[in-house]
Amino acid sequence: MYKFLKLNEHSEYLKILNILEQKTKYIEYVLVDESDTWFINALQEDIYEQKKVNHWWGTKTSQRCCLYKIKASTTLFSILRKFSTFCVMKSGEWGDYTEATDFGINDIAFFDDRTEPILFTTTHEGYIEIREDIK
């Protein structure tokens, strides 16, 4: 089971990254924006699988996107700490909306030894979900 998580503040984001760094074995990173490849390029040495998919955690689409499996490393979490957060959820006159951040719109999921991720994002929609057993 999962619960929604708001990480609108950088300090909240860093707290979650600290937890994730201790538990993560690998991540899945999906290029929703195929031109936004600098993150993948920075982690080339740690990529151990790449495939085209049309569904991943939190998303099913007709568009085929590239999914990368990347082993967890100090470099990975160093890069992640430089972002303000994955996405920001705001409320306005017309309801909730998502504000993009320097992370972009690509999706990310963090895995430990279980088959369900610890945390995953549907970034462009502003969704961040965390497994209920994670404290």
Side-chain angles (χ1 to χ4, degrees):
M1 295 294 287
Y2 287 87
K3 59 185 175 186
F4 286 103
L5 183 64
K6 276 189 182 179
L7 296 177
N8 287 357
E9 300 298 323
H10 185 66
S11 59
E12 297 167 331
Y13 171 74
L14 290 177
K15 283 180 193 174
I16 290 296
L17 283 182
N18 288 337
I19 293 167
L20 291 171
E21 186 169 21
Q22 300 304 312
K23 298 178 179 295
T24 302
K25 302 288 185 216
Y26 70 95
I27 66 164
E28 290 183 351
Y29 184 80
V30 179
L31 283 183
V32 177
D33 176 357
E34 291 185 359
S35 68
D36 184 9
T37 59
W38 78 268
F39 185 78
I40 292 301
N41 294 339
L43 296 166
Q44 278 298 315
E45 294 176 10
D46 296 327
I47 295 171
Y48 65 90
E49 187 178 334
Q50 175 183 346
K51 60 185 174 181
K52 287 279 195 176
V53 297
N54 65 352
H55 66 280
W56 55 92
W57 282 95
T59 303
K60 186 171 184 176
T61 177
S62 59
Q63 176 187 357
R64 292 184 64 77
C65 297
C66 211
L67 179 145
Y68 295 86
K69 286 190 178 184
I70 304 168
K71 75 176 181 174
S73 67
T74 305
T75 303
L76 167 69
F77 282 94
S78 242
I79 292 169
L80 288 171
R81 282 187 178 83
K82 294 177 183 176
F83 296 114
S84 57
T85 186
F86 297 121
C87 52
V88 174
M89 184 60 82
K90 299 240 177 161
S91 294
E93 183 179 339
W94 305 103
D96 291 343
Y97 65 96
T98 303
E99 189 175 275
T101 68
D102 50 349
F103 182 76
I105 64 166
N106 295 328
D107 293 340
I108 192 167
F110 297 82
F111 291 83
D112 55 12
D113 292 331
R114 293 174 51 181
T115 56
E116 306 86 20
I118 302 166
L119 178 144
F120 66 91
T121 69
T122 309
T123 311
H124 72 284
E125 292 179 3
Y127 298 126
I128 303 169
E129 294 190 50
I130 191 164
R131 242 179 24 215
E132 287 184 342
D133 66 312
I134 302 302
K135 305 284 182 227

